[in-house]
Amino acid sequence: MQYWLMKSEPDDVSIDDLMAAPQQTTAWYGVRNYQARNFMRDRMQPGDGVLFYHSSCPEPGIAGLARIVSGPYPDASQFDPDNRYYDAKAVPEQPRWISIDVQGTRKTRLLPLAELRTIAALDDMVVLQKGSRLSITPVTPAQWQAVVALLA
DNA sequence: GCCAACGTTGGC
DNA sequence: GCCAACGTTGGC
């Protein structure tokens, strides 16, 4: 059981979208960064906890909690020439990119980035480090507990 | 829109 | 393998 922070642009998939989906579950596709892909492929497990973060929006911050509910499988968008995430170098025999299913657990109050930066227990959180842009980052159990406590 | 930081590409 | 050029992310 591990914990993660996943970024999403709310104009693309918001916490409300996640909670409104059938079974509150959404296929996570379009990740086109190798480090993030490797986390999904090699380390994420069904049951893992997710801090759901809104990025590139007026109020960036944690907007809800979610969990991983599938293992890795090929991201279909890489094979579709009409899709914005199409990858001409990907072939079905050798998929480059993968998806996992994410299930919303609950929408929380918006915990703004600026507030996260004031919490001493979160000083080492990967997403708060200078220059950190990765869309999927690991969260320690202590960091998870600290965030959940703030959202209680 | 700006810009810092990081990732990817491709010539050599 | 190096590294310059370019592209992307994402807060502000």
Side-chain angles (χ1 to χ4, degrees):
Chain A
M1 169 75 165
Q2 298 189 86
Y3 299 100
W4 306 94
L5 181 142
M6 296 178 74
K7 292 181 189 173
S8 183
E9 299 187 16
D11 284 351
D12 189 4
V13 180
S14 69
I15 186 67
D16 289 329
D17 295 330
L18 213 58
M19 298 310 292
Q23 280 79 51
Q24 293 77 52
T25 298
T26 297
W28 213 252
Y29 67 93
V31 171
R32 293 295 180 269
N33 170 283
Y34 289 106
Q35 210 176 332
R37 179 204 64 181
N38 293 348
F39 283 143
M40 290 198 294
R41 188 188 61 190
D42 304 334
R43 293 184 49 193
M44 278 184 163
Q45 300 278 348
D48 283 1
V50 173
L51 303 175
F52 194 79
Y53 180 95
H54 283 176
S55 66
S56 295
C57 59
E59 284 192 293
I62 293 169
L65 302 177
R67 66 169 71 92
I68 303 303
V69 290
S70 83
Y73 57 92
D75 176 345
S77 67
Q78 69 193 304
F79 307 125
D80 177 3
D82 295 329
N83 194 286
R84 63 192 273 218
Y85 296 114
Y86 176 63
D87 183 345
K89 294 177 183 166
V91 290
E93 300 75 36
Q94 195 87 48
R96 290 183 134 193
W97 307 112
I98 63 127
S99 288
I100 43 113
D101 292 342
V102 179
Q103 180 182 49
T105 307
R106 73 180 164 104
K107 179 179 182 177
T108 64
R109 75 173 174 98
L110 194 279
L111 180 49
L113 176 60
E115 184 175 345
L116 293 173
R117 292 196 187 284
T118 68
I119 314 294
L122 302 181
D123 278 352
D124 295 330
M125 204 174 193
V126 176
V127 78
L128 301 182
Q129 304 310 302
K130 185 180 171 76
S132 173
R133 316 182 297 179
L134 207 53
S135 65
I136 298 175
T137 49
V139 171
T140 67
Q143 290 162 353
W144 172 272
Q145 286 304 326
V147 170
V148 169
L150 288 168
L151 296 173

